[in-house]
Amino acid sequence: MHFSIPETESRSGDSGGSAYVAYNIHVNGVLHCRVRYSQLLGLHEQLRKEYGANVLPAFPPKKLFSLTPAEVEQRREQLEKYMQAVRQDPLLGSSETFNSFLRRAQQETQQVPTEEVSLEVLLSNGQKVLVNVLTSDQTEDVLEAVAAKLDLPDDLIGYFSLFLVREKEDGAFSFVRKLQEFELPYVSVTSLRSQEYKIVLRKSYWDSAYDDDVMENRVGLNLLYAQTVSDIERGWILVTKEQHRQLKSLQEKVSKKEFLRLAQTLRHYGYLRFDACVADFPEKDCPVVVSAGNSELSLQLRLPGQQLREGSFRVTRMRCWRVTSSVPLPTGGTSSPGRGRGEVRLELAFEYLMSKDRLQWVTITSPQAIMMSICLQSMVDELMVKKSGGSIRKMLRRRVGGTLRRSDSQQAVKSPPLLESPDASRESVVKLSSKLSAVSLRGIGSPSTDASASDVHGNFAFEGIGDEDL
């Protein structure tokens, strides 16, 4: 998840009290909550009490006198770095203290009272499931309520997740993000104040070998079948005319397991497709369609002459990746701190082992860049669990003290060492790497600072390759 505090607001105190500065915390570019410095300081003190000062990142100190505009901006930047560092820490970011703070702040900001409501959750085929939940129920609670309504067994709940999507005019879903433990699904979807946004239930794993566990259960089988039929109808799964005929025949016979077995052999089965975007591979400003699945990112592009081509980037050959953001300055000059910001431009950049000794950065510019990053991380999680001989059931449903814990592969974000390369093209790659090493939330053209190592997602599923693998 990408936490940012792109702006501050001057707000009046309660009952006509003195004005104060409020910090708008955004998650993936969308306002999550609005908090005061004193609230964040309270969170910091509580985390320090529970985990010790040596675990926590630096917190901006109190000031005796009113802050100047420059000092307000400096504090904003420091608080933003603090929230990002806490979220990325495997211990702090998964703590109930941190997550419950964000849930309470979200509910207070949106001024939603705690009460029972009916929440609509869609299946992949558009079928609606209505569940009675509290407005204050967290993501795990809502997921369990949906599972209970569908009669999905408890041991299969972790194979599925709730996703926030935007329904487009043609009925297709554009994935915004996977709902997290620090948010309240009802508040998240209603605060967007648009009927376009929905919550969708979809399987949360990538390796089709885990389908066998789900298909043993009638409800699990029906959910997988509905998702696969929907993906084929939307063109997410690539099907030849003959394969389509075979699938149609199995569909008419209601042979769901046989249908899924055939679908598992098809290109892009179980992949998540993103909206059309732009990449710098194989050339700058190349229009592409990105799909994630089967431990890879697939880039489909149409070459001159309308010939469709596909390039695949294996997760095991990505040394690291990062999401960068920038905000164009308003036309005609600079903006004052915290004001006049334009639309955030998001990029996913990953360093890929193109050949035995040559790493190259590939950049995808997309509003869904953060969702792509989350997909990469979850694919790495699965690979690491599989390598260690662990169970996906434990990975998906790991709980410590009532809170979900991220898997071990997420506990390190620093990159493995760079490969030494004598390749002459390495110099230009390093320059591109340097360009991407800074994240500016103030505006293109403003002075940038080098991002810390924690901004880079190191890939512990990264594998070196030999010439025979190329």
Side-chain angles (χ1 to χ4, degrees), residues 37 50 67 80 92 138 149 207 244 269 321-322 325 329 385 402 404 451 453:
Y37 170 83
E50 293 181 25
L67 301 181
E80 179 176 81
L92 304 174
Q138 63 194 66
K149 188 71 178 280
D207 191 337
H244 190 274
Y269 169 79
W321 71 87
R322 68 182 305 133
S325 59
L329 292 173
V385 168
L404 287 178

Side-chain angles (χ1 to χ4, degrees), residues 98-110:
F98 180 69
N99 290 317
S100 62
F101 171 84
L102 288 172
R103 292 195 296 266
R104 285 194 305 271
Q106 182 187 27
Q107 188 174 6
E108 291 170 4
T109 298
Q110 301 300 336

Side-chain angles (χ1 to χ4, degrees), residues 125-275:
N125 60 358
Q127 180 182 336
K128 298 177 182 178
V129 179
L130 287 177
V131 292
N132 293 323
V133 298
L134 293 176
T135 53
S136 57
D137 278 346
Q138 63 194 66
T139 300
E140 184 73 3
D141 298 328
V142 175
L143 179 60
E144 290 176 354
V146 174
K149 188 71 178 280
L150 294 172
D151 202 23
L152 183 70
D154 287 348
D155 63 342
L156 292 183
I157 295 176
Y159 287 77
F160 295 87
S161 291
L162 298 174
F163 294 85
L164 180 65
V165 304
R166 182 176 58 82
E167 189 173 22
K168 296 188 285 189
E169 290 183 1
D170 61 359
F173 295 142
S174 174
F175 283 77
V176 178
R177 69 174 184 271
K178 181 178 175 180
L179 293 178
Q180 301 292 315
E181 64 271 24
F182 57 74
E183 62 185 315
L184 311 176
Y186 176 83
V187 179
S188 292
V189 70
T190 57
S191 64
L192 292 168
R193 293 174 174 79
S194 171
Q195 295 298 316
E196 291 181 337
Y197 291 95
K198 314 282 184 183
I199 296 176
V200 168
L201 180 75
R202 187 177 173 89
K203 74 176 186 179
S204 58
Y205 59 89
W206 303 98
D207 191 337
S208 60
Y210 296 121
D211 285 350
D212 291 344
D213 296 340
V214 180
M215 289 165 62
E216 290 174 1
N217 175 263
R218 175 185 57 83
V219 178
L221 173 63
N222 288 337
L223 288 172
L224 278 186
Y225 178 75
Q227 176 177 314
T228 305
V229 170
S230 174
D231 288 355
I232 290 173
E233 290 175 348
R234 289 173 178 154
W236 288 19
I237 299 175
L238 307 182
V239 185
T240 65
K241 287 184 179 180
E242 175 57 24
Q243 289 166 339
H244 190 274
R245 186 193 64 77
Q246 294 175 23
L247 289 167
K248 196 70 176 174
S249 175
L250 292 171
Q251 208 172 347
E252 290 170 354
K253 296 175 184 176
V254 199
S255 302
K256 296 181 181 179
K257 282 191 177 181
E258 290 78 6
F259 180 95
L260 287 170
R261 294 297 182 204
L262 176 56
Q264 286 172 341
T265 67
L266 304 178
R267 185 82 178 115
H268 289 189
Y269 169 79
Y271 283 46
L272 201 64
R273 178 179 283 198
F274 300 94
D275 299 339

